[in-house]
Coordinates of all heavy atoms in Angstrom, one line a residue:
M1 N 0.8 -1.2 0.0 CA 0.0 0.0 0.0 C 0.9 1.2 0.0 O 2.0 1.2 0.6 CB -0.9 0.0 1.2 CG -1.9 -1.1 1.4 SD -3.2 -1.2 0.2 CE -3.8 0.5 0.1
R2 N 0.4 2.3 -0.6 CA 1.0 3.6 -0.6 C 0.0 4.7 -0.4 O -1.2 4.4 -0.7 CB 1.9 3.8 -1.8 CG 1.0 3.9 -3.1 CD 1.9 4.0 -4.3 NE 1.1 4.3 -5.5 CZ 0.4 3.4 -6.1 NH1 0.3 2.1 -5.7 NH2 -0.4 3.7 -7.2
A3 N 0.4 5.8 0.1 CA -0.5 6.9 0.3 C -1.2 7.3 -1.0 O -0.6 7.4 -2.0 CB 0.3 8.1 0.8
G4 N -2.5 7.4 -0.9 CA -3.3 7.8 -2.0 C -3.8 6.6 -2.9 O -4.6 6.8 -3.8
Q5 N -3.4 5.4 -2.6 CA -3.8 4.3 -3.3 C -5.3 3.9 -3.0 O -5.7 3.9 -1.9 CB -2.9 3.1 -3.0 CG -3.2 1.8 -3.8 CD -2.3 0.7 -3.6 OE1 -1.3 0.9 -2.9 NE2 -2.6 -0.5 -4.1
L6 N -6.0 3.6 -4.1 CA -7.4 3.3 -3.9 C -7.5 1.9 -3.2 O -6.9 0.9 -3.5 CB -8.1 3.1 -5.3 CG -9.6 2.7 -5.3 CD1 -10.4 3.9 -4.7 CD2 -10.0 2.5 -6.7
L7 N -8.4 1.9 -2.1 CA -8.6 0.7 -1.4 C -9.8 -0.1 -1.8 O -9.8 -1.3 -1.8 CB -8.8 1.0 0.1 CG -7.7 1.6 0.9 CD1 -8.1 2.0 2.3 CD2 -6.5 0.7 0.9
G8 N -10.8 0.6 -2.3 CA -12.0 0.0 -2.7 C -13.2 0.9 -2.9 O -13.0 2.1 -2.8
G9 N -14.3 0.4 -3.2 CA -15.5 1.2 -3.4 C -16.4 1.2 -2.1 O -16.3 0.3 -1.3
V10 N -17.3 2.2 -2.1 CA -18.2 2.3 -1.0 C -19.6 1.9 -1.6 O -20.0 2.4 -2.6 CB -18.3 3.7 -0.4 CG1 -19.3 3.8 0.7 CG2 -16.9 4.0 0.2
G11 N -20.4 1.2 -0.8 CA -21.7 0.8 -1.3 C -22.7 0.7 -0.2 O -22.4 0.9 1.0
N12 N -23.9 0.4 -0.5 CA -25.0 0.2 0.5 C -25.8 -1.0 0.1 O -26.8 -1.0 -0.6 CB -25.9 1.5 0.5 CG -26.9 1.4 1.6 OD1 -26.7 0.7 2.6 ND2 -27.9 2.2 1.5
L13 N -25.3 -2.2 0.5 CA -25.9 -3.5 0.2 C -26.4 -4.1 1.5 O -25.7 -4.1 2.5 CB -24.8 -4.4 -0.4 CG -25.3 -5.8 -0.9 CD1 -26.3 -5.6 -1.9 CD2 -24.1 -6.5 -1.4
G14 N -27.6 -4.5 1.5 CA -28.1 -5.2 2.7 C -28.9 -4.2 3.6 O -29.3 -3.1 3.1
H15 N -29.0 -4.5 4.8 CA -29.8 -3.7 5.8 C -28.9 -2.7 6.4 O -28.3 -2.9 7.5 CB -30.5 -4.6 6.8 CG -31.4 -5.6 6.2 ND1 -32.6 -5.2 5.7 CD2 -31.3 -6.9 6.1 CE1 -33.2 -6.3 5.3 NE2 -32.5 -7.3 5.5
T16 N -28.6 -1.6 5.8 CA -27.8 -0.5 6.3 C -28.5 0.8 6.3 O -29.4 1.0 5.5 CB -26.5 -0.4 5.5 OG1 -26.8 0.0 4.2 CG2 -25.7 -1.8 5.5
S17 N -27.9 1.7 7.0 CA -28.5 3.1 7.0 C -27.9 4.0 6.0 O -28.3 5.1 5.8 CB -28.4 3.7 8.4 OG -27.0 3.8 8.7
G18 N -26.8 3.5 5.3 CA -26.2 4.3 4.3 C -24.9 3.7 3.8 O -24.5 2.6 4.3
P19 N -24.3 4.3 2.8 CA -23.1 3.7 2.2 C -22.0 3.6 3.3 O -21.9 4.5 4.2 CB -22.7 4.7 1.1 CG -23.9 5.4 0.8 CD -24.7 5.4 2.1
H20 N -21.2 2.5 3.2 CA -20.1 2.3 4.2 C -19.1 1.4 3.6 O -19.3 0.8 2.6 CB -20.7 1.8 5.5 CG -21.3 0.4 5.3 ND1 -22.5 0.2 4.8 CD2 -20.8 -0.8 5.6 CE1 -22.8 -1.0 4.7 NE2 -21.8 -1.7 5.2
L21 N -17.9 1.3 4.3 CA -16.8 0.5 3.8 C -16.3 -0.3 5.0 O -16.1 0.2 6.1 CB -15.7 1.4 3.3 CG -14.4 0.7 2.9 CD1 -14.7 -0.1 1.6 CD2 -13.4 1.8 2.6
H22 N -16.1 -1.6 4.8 CA -15.6 -2.5 5.8 C -14.1 -2.8 5.4 O -13.8 -3.1 4.2 CB -16.3 -3.9 5.8 CG -17.7 -3.8 6.3 ND1 -18.0 -4.1 7.6 CD2 -18.8 -3.4 5.8 CE1 -19.3 -3.9 7.8 NE2 -19.8 -3.5 6.7
I23 N -13.2 -2.6 6.4 CA -11.8 -2.9 6.1 C -11.3 -3.8 7.2 O -11.6 -3.6 8.4 CB -11.0 -1.6 6.2 CG1 -11.4 -0.6 5.1 CG2 -9.5 -1.8 6.1 CD1 -10.8 0.8 5.3
H24 N -10.5 -4.8 6.8 CA -9.8 -5.7 7.8 C -8.4 -5.8 7.4 O -8.1 -6.2 6.2 CB -10.5 -7.0 7.9 CG -9.9 -8.0 8.8 ND1 -9.9 -7.8 10.2 CD2 -9.1 -9.0 8.6 CE1 -9.2 -8.8 10.7 NE2 -8.7 -9.5 9.8
L25 N -7.5 -5.6 8.3 CA -6.0 -5.7 8.0 C -5.5 -6.8 8.9 O -5.8 -6.8 10.1 CB -5.4 -4.4 8.3 CG -3.9 -4.2 8.0 CD1 -3.7 -4.4 6.5 CD2 -3.4 -2.9 8.5
Q26 N -4.8 -7.7 8.4 CA -4.3 -8.8 9.2 C -2.8 -9.2 8.8 O -2.4 -8.8 7.7 CB -5.2 -10.1 9.1 CG -5.2 -10.7 7.8 CD -6.2 -11.9 7.7 OE1 -7.2 -11.8 8.3 NE2 -5.8 -13.0 7.1
D27 N -2.2 -9.9 9.6 CA -0.7 -10.2 9.4 C -0.5 -11.5 8.6 O 0.6 -12.0 8.6 CB 0.0 -10.3 10.8 CG -0.5 -11.4 11.7 OD1 -1.4 -12.2 11.3 OD2 0.0 -11.5 12.8
S28 N -1.5 -12.1 8.0 CA -1.3 -13.3 7.2 C -2.3 -13.3 6.0 O -3.4 -12.8 6.1 CB -1.7 -14.5 8.1 OG -1.8 -15.7 7.3
P29 N -1.8 -13.8 4.9 CA -2.7 -13.8 3.7 C -3.8 -14.9 3.8 O -4.7 -15.0 3.0 CB -1.7 -14.0 2.5 CG -0.6 -14.8 3.1 CD -0.5 -14.2 4.5
E30 N -3.6 -15.8 4.7 CA -4.5 -16.9 4.9 C -5.8 -16.5 5.7 O -5.7 -16.0 6.8 CB -3.9 -18.1 5.6 CG -2.6 -18.6 4.8 CD -3.0 -19.2 3.5 OE1 -4.0 -19.8 3.3 OE2 -2.2 -18.9 2.5
D31 N -7.0 -16.8 5.1 CA -8.2 -16.5 5.8 C -8.2 -17.3 7.1 O -7.8 -18.4 7.2 CB -9.4 -16.9 5.0 CG -9.6 -16.0 3.8 OD1 -9.0 -14.9 3.8 OD2 -10.3 -16.4 2.9
D32 N -8.8 -16.7 8.2 CA -9.0 -17.4 9.5 C -7.7 -17.7 10.2 O -7.7 -18.4 11.2 CB -9.8 -18.6 9.4 CG -11.2 -18.3 8.8 OD1 -11.7 -17.2 9.1 OD2 -11.8 -19.2 8.1
E33 N -6.5 -17.3 9.7 CA -5.3 -17.6 10.4 C -4.6 -16.3 10.9 O -3.7 -16.4 11.8 CB -4.3 -18.4 9.5 CG -4.8 -19.8 9.2 CD -3.7 -20.5 8.4 OE1 -2.6 -20.1 8.3 OE2 -4.1 -21.6 7.8
G34 N -4.9 -15.2 10.3 CA -4.2 -14.0 10.7 C -4.7 -13.3 11.9 O -5.9 -13.4 12.2
E35 N -3.9 -12.5 12.6 CA -4.3 -11.7 13.7 C -4.5 -10.3 13.1 O -3.9 -9.8 12.2 CB -3.1 -11.6 14.7 CG -2.9 -12.8 15.5 CD -4.1 -13.2 16.4 OE1 -4.7 -12.3 17.0 OE2 -4.3 -14.4 16.5
G36 N -5.6 -9.6 13.6 CA -5.9 -8.3 13.2 C -4.8 -7.3 13.6 O -4.1 -7.4 14.6
I37 N -4.6 -6.3 12.7 CA -3.6 -5.3 12.9 C -4.3 -3.9 12.9 O -5.1 -3.7 12.1 CB -2.6 -5.3 11.7 CG1 -1.8 -6.6 11.6 CG2 -1.6 -4.1 11.8 CD1 -1.0 -6.7 10.4
P38 N -4.0 -3.1 13.9 CA -4.6 -1.7 13.9 C -4.3 -1.0 12.6 O -3.2 -1.1 12.0 CB -3.9 -1.0 15.1 CG -3.4 -2.2 15.9 CD -3.0 -3.3 15.0
L39 N -5.3 -0.2 12.2 CA -5.1 0.5 10.9 C -5.3 2.0 11.3 O -6.3 2.5 11.7 CB -6.2 0.1 9.9 CG -6.3 0.8 8.6 CD1 -5.0 0.6 7.8 CD2 -7.5 0.3 7.8
C40 N -4.2 2.7 11.1 CA -4.1 4.2 11.4 C -4.6 5.0 10.2 O -4.3 4.7 9.1 CB -2.7 4.6 11.8 SG -2.1 4.1 13.3
F41 N -5.4 6.0 10.5 CA -5.9 6.9 9.5 C -5.2 8.3 9.7 O -4.9 8.6 10.8 CB -7.4 7.1 9.6 CG -8.2 5.9 9.1 CD1 -8.2 4.7 9.8 CD2 -8.9 6.0 7.9 CE1 -9.0 3.7 9.4 CE2 -9.7 4.9 7.5 CZ -9.7 3.8 8.2
R42 N -5.0 9.0 8.6 CA -4.5 10.4 8.7 C -5.5 11.4 8.2 O -6.2 11.2 7.2 CB -3.2 10.5 7.8 CG -2.1 9.7 8.3 CD -0.9 10.0 7.4 NE 0.2 9.1 7.8 CZ 1.3 8.9 7.1 NH1 1.5 9.6 6.0 NH2 2.3 8.1 7.5
R43 N -5.5 12.5 8.9 CA -6.3 13.7 8.5 C -7.8 13.3 8.2 O -8.2 13.4 7.1 CB -5.7 14.4 7.3 CG -4.4 15.1 7.7 CD -4.0 16.2 6.8 NE -5.0 17.2 6.5 CZ -5.4 18.1 7.3 NH1 -4.9 18.3 8.5 NH2 -6.3 19.0 7.0
Y44 N -8.4 12.9 9.3 CA -9.9 12.7 9.1 C -10.6 13.6 10.1 O -10.1 14.1 11.0 CB -10.2 11.2 9.3 CG -9.9 10.6 10.7 CD1 -10.9 10.6 11.7 CD2 -8.7 10.0 11.0 CE1 -10.6 10.1 12.9 CE2 -8.5 9.4 12.2 CZ -9.4 9.5 13.2 OH -9.2 8.9 14.4
R45 N -11.9 13.8 9.8 CA -12.8 14.6 10.6 C -13.7 13.7 11.4 O -14.3 12.8 10.8 CB -13.6 15.6 9.7 CG -14.4 16.6 10.5 CD -15.1 17.6 9.7 NE -14.1 18.5 9.1 CZ -14.4 19.5 8.4 NH1 -15.7 19.8 8.1 NH2 -13.5 20.3 7.9
L46 N -13.7 14.0 12.7 CA -14.6 13.3 13.6 C -15.3 14.3 14.5 O -14.6 15.1 15.2 CB -13.7 12.3 14.4 CG -14.4 11.6 15.6 CD1 -15.5 10.7 15.0 CD2 -13.5 10.8 16.4
D47 N -16.6 14.3 14.5 CA -17.4 15.2 15.4 C -16.9 16.7 15.2 O -16.8 17.4 16.1 CB -17.3 14.8 16.8 CG -17.8 13.5 17.1 OD1 -18.8 13.1 16.4 OD2 -17.3 12.8 18.0
G48 N -16.7 17.1 13.9 CA -16.3 18.5 13.6 C -14.9 18.9 13.8 O -14.6 20.0 13.6
R49 N -14.1 18.0 14.3 CA -12.6 18.3 14.5 C -11.8 17.4 13.6 O -12.1 16.3 13.3 CB -12.2 18.3 15.9 CG -12.3 16.9 16.5 CD -11.9 16.9 18.0 NE -12.1 15.6 18.6 CZ -11.3 14.5 18.4 NH1 -10.2 14.6 17.7 NH2 -11.6 13.4 19.0
V50 N -10.6 18.0 13.2 CA -9.7 17.2 12.4 C -8.7 16.5 13.3 O -8.2 17.0 14.2 CB -8.9 18.2 11.5 CG1 -7.8 17.4 10.7 CG2 -9.8 18.9 10.5
V51 N -8.6 15.2 13.0 CA -7.7 14.3 13.7 C -6.5 14.0 12.8 O -6.7 13.5 11.7 CB -8.4 13.0 14.1 CG1 -7.4 12.0 14.8 CG2 -9.6 13.2 15.0
E52 N -5.3 14.4 13.1 CA -4.2 14.3 12.3 C -3.8 12.8 12.1 O -3.4 12.4 11.0 CB -3.0 15.1 12.8 CG -3.1 16.6 12.7 CD -3.3 17.0 11.2 OE1 -2.7 16.5 10.3 OE2 -4.0 18.0 11.0
R53 N -3.9 12.0 13.1 CA -3.5 10.6 13.0 C -4.2 9.9 14.1 O -4.2 10.3 15.3 CB -2.0 10.4 13.1 CG -1.6 9.0 13.0 CD 0.0 8.9 13.2 NE 0.4 7.6 13.4 CZ 0.9 6.8 12.5 NH1 1.1 7.2 11.3 NH2 1.3 5.6 12.8
G54 N -4.9 8.8 13.8 CA -5.6 8.1 14.8 C -6.2 6.8 14.3 O -6.1 6.4 13.1
I55 N -6.9 6.1 15.2 CA -7.6 4.8 14.9 C -9.0 5.0 15.3 O -9.3 4.9 16.5 CB -6.9 3.6 15.6 CG1 -5.4 3.5 15.3 CG2 -7.6 2.3 15.3 CD1 -4.7 2.5 16.0
P56 N -9.9 5.2 14.3 CA -11.3 5.3 14.7 C -11.8 4.0 15.3 O -11.4 2.9 15.0 CB -12.0 5.5 13.3 CG -10.9 6.0 12.4 CD -9.7 5.3 12.9
T57 N -12.8 4.1 16.2 CA -13.4 2.9 16.8 C -14.5 2.4 16.0 O -15.2 3.1 15.2 CB -13.8 3.2 18.2 OG1 -14.9 4.2 18.2 CG2 -12.7 3.7 19.1
G58 N -14.8 1.1 16.2 CA -16.0 0.5 15.5 C -16.6 -0.6 16.3 O -16.2 -0.7 17.5
G59 N -17.5 -1.3 15.7 CA -18.0 -2.4 16.5 C -19.5 -2.3 16.7 O -20.2 -1.4 16.2
F60 N -20.0 -3.1 17.6 CA -21.5 -3.2 17.9 C -21.7 -3.2 19.4 O -20.9 -3.7 20.1 CB -22.1 -4.4 17.3 CG -22.2 -4.4 15.8 CD1 -21.1 -4.8 15.0 CD2 -23.4 -3.9 15.2 CE1 -21.2 -4.8 13.6 CE2 -23.4 -3.9 13.8 CZ -22.4 -4.3 13.0
Q61 N -22.8 -2.5 19.8 CA -23.2 -2.6 21.2 C -24.7 -2.9 21.1 O -25.4 -2.2 20.4 CB -23.0 -1.3 21.9 CG -21.5 -1.0 22.2 CD -21.3 0.3 22.9 OE1 -22.0 1.3 22.7 NE2 -20.4 0.3 23.9
N62 N -25.1 -3.8 21.9 CA -26.6 -4.2 21.9 C -27.1 -4.4 20.5 O -28.2 -3.9 20.2 CB -27.4 -3.1 22.7 CG -26.9 -3.0 24.1 OD1 -26.5 -3.9 24.7 ND2 -26.9 -1.8 24.6
A63 N -26.4 -5.1 19.7 CA -26.8 -5.4 18.3 C -27.0 -4.2 17.4 O -27.6 -4.3 16.4 CB -28.1 -6.3 18.3
R64 N -26.4 -3.1 17.8 CA -26.5 -1.8 17.0 C -25.1 -1.4 16.7 O -24.2 -1.5 17.5 CB -27.2 -0.7 17.7 CG -28.7 -1.0 17.9 CD -29.4 0.1 18.5 NE -29.3 1.3 17.6 CZ -30.2 1.8 16.9 NH1 -31.4 1.3 16.9 NH2 -30.0 2.9 16.1
C65 N -24.9 -0.8 15.5 CA -23.6 -0.3 15.1 C -23.2 0.8 16.1 O -23.9 1.7 16.3 CB -23.6 0.2 13.7 SG -22.0 0.9 13.1
A66 N -22.0 0.7 16.6 CA -21.5 1.8 17.5 C -20.2 2.4 17.0 O -19.4 3.0 17.8 CB -21.2 1.1 18.9
G67 N -19.9 2.2 15.7 CA -18.7 2.8 15.2 C -18.7 4.2 14.9 O -19.8 4.8 14.9
Q68 N -17.6 4.9 14.9 CA -17.5 6.3 14.6 C -17.7 6.6 13.1 O -17.2 5.8 12.3 CB -16.2 6.9 15.1 CG -16.0 6.8 16.6 CD -14.6 7.2 17.0 OE1 -13.6 7.0 16.3 NE2 -14.5 7.8 18.1
V69 N -18.3 7.7 12.8 CA -18.5 8.1 11.4 C -17.4 9.2 11.2 O -17.4 10.2 11.9 CB -19.9 8.7 11.2 CG1 -20.0 9.2 9.7 CG2 -20.9 7.6 11.4
I70 N -16.5 8.9 10.2 CA -15.5 9.8 9.9 C -15.5 10.2 8.4 O -16.2 9.5 7.6 CB -14.1 9.2 10.3 CG1 -13.8 8.0 9.4 CG2 -14.0 8.9 11.7 CD1 -12.3 7.5 9.5
E71 N -14.8 11.3 8.1 CA -14.7 11.6 6.6 C -13.3 12.2 6.4 O -12.7 12.7 7.4 CB -15.7 12.6 6.2 CG -15.7 13.9 6.9 CD -16.8 14.9 6.4 OE1 -17.2 14.8 5.3 OE2 -17.3 15.6 7.3
N72 N -12.8 12.2 5.2 CA -11.5 12.7 4.9 C -11.5 14.2 5.1 O -12.4 14.9 4.6 CB -11.2 12.4 3.4 CG -9.9 13.0 3.0 OD1 -9.8 14.2 2.7 ND2 -8.8 12.2 3.0
A73 N -10.6 14.7 5.9 CA -10.7 16.2 6.3 C -10.4 17.1 5.1 O -11.1 18.1 5.0 CB -9.6 16.4 7.4
D74 N -9.5 16.7 4.2 CA -9.2 17.6 3.1 C -10.4 17.6 2.1 O -10.7 18.7 1.5 CB -7.9 17.1 2.4 CG -6.7 17.2 3.3 OD1 -6.7 18.2 4.1 OD2 -5.9 16.3 3.3
A75 N -11.0 16.5 1.8 CA -12.2 16.4 0.9 C -13.3 17.2 1.6 O -14.1 17.9 0.8 CB -12.6 15.0 0.7
A76 N -13.5 17.1 2.9 CA -14.6 17.9 3.5 C -14.4 19.4 3.4 O -15.3 20.1 3.1 CB -14.7 17.4 5.0
R77 N -13.2 19.8 3.6 CA -12.8 21.2 3.5 C -13.1 21.7 2.1 O -13.6 22.8 1.9 CB -11.4 21.5 4.0 CG -11.1 23.0 4.0 CD -9.7 23.3 4.4 NE -8.8 22.6 3.6 CZ -7.6 22.0 4.0 NH1 -7.3 22.1 5.3 NH2 -6.8 21.4 3.2
A78 N -12.6 21.0 1.1 CA -12.8 21.4 -0.3 C -14.3 21.5 -0.7 O -14.7 22.4 -1.4 CB -12.1 20.4 -1.2
R79 N -15.1 20.6 -0.1 CA -16.5 20.6 -0.4 C -17.1 21.8 0.3 O -18.0 22.5 -0.3 CB -17.2 19.3 0.1 CG -18.6 19.1 -0.3 CD -19.1 17.7 0.1 NE -18.9 17.4 1.5 CZ -18.1 16.5 2.0 NH1 -17.3 15.8 1.1 NH2 -17.9 16.2 3.2
E80 N -16.7 22.2 1.5 CA -17.3 23.4 2.1 C -16.9 24.7 1.5 O -17.6 25.6 1.5 CB -16.8 23.4 3.6 CG -17.4 22.3 4.4 CD -16.7 22.1 5.8 OE1 -15.7 22.9 6.0 OE2 -17.1 21.3 6.6
E81 N -15.7 24.7 0.8 CA -15.2 25.9 0.2 C -15.8 26.1 -1.2 O -15.7 27.2 -1.7 CB -13.7 25.9 0.1 CG -13.0 26.0 1.5 CD -11.5 25.8 1.4 OE1 -11.0 25.5 0.3 OE2 -10.8 25.9 2.4
S82 N -16.4 25.1 -1.8 CA -16.9 25.2 -3.1 C -18.4 25.7 -3.1 O -19.0 25.9 -2.1 CB -16.9 23.9 -3.9 OG -17.7 22.9 -3.3

């Protein structure tokens, strides 16, 4: 992977409230054998503030999605300025 490389597309398939992307990073190419690896994001917006580097949380609580909703900070700023 390199900075700016396309990871995949975003879609809305199944019972979801909107488009989203699932990402899993692991230390082995073999399914069901690898350990998960933390995935750091750069320059994202969370709750109105820019986070320079961090790991957004995700997961479920009481059978409901409890993950954070983030967006690319630079793309959000460009959209606001246009």
Side-chain angles (χ1 to χ4, degrees):
M1 297 294 314
R2 64 184 187 284
Q5 183 176 349
L6 179 66
L7 294 176
V10 177
N12 189 18
L13 181 63
H15 300 289
T16 65
S17 60
H20 63 283
L21 178 66
H22 292 260
I23 298 174
H24 177 73
L25 186 64
Q26 66 182 41
D27 63 0
S28 170
E30 300 299 322
D31 291 342
D32 301 326
E33 290 185 16
E35 291 291 324
I37 299 172
L39 179 61
C40 290
F41 286 71
R42 292 185 185 169
R43 292 201 48 77
Y44 62 91
R45 187 176 288 187
L46 172 65
D47 297 329
R49 65 180 172 80
V50 174
V51 178
E52 289 298 327
R53 181 180 165 100
I55 302 174
T57 62
F60 289 86
Q61 287 181 323
N62 301 324
R64 294 186 58 109
C65 180
Q68 294 175 325
V69 176
I70 65 170
E71 62 180 328
N72 178 279
D74 298 324
R77 184 179 58 218
R79 191 173 51 253
E80 291 168 356
E81 292 174 354
S82 63

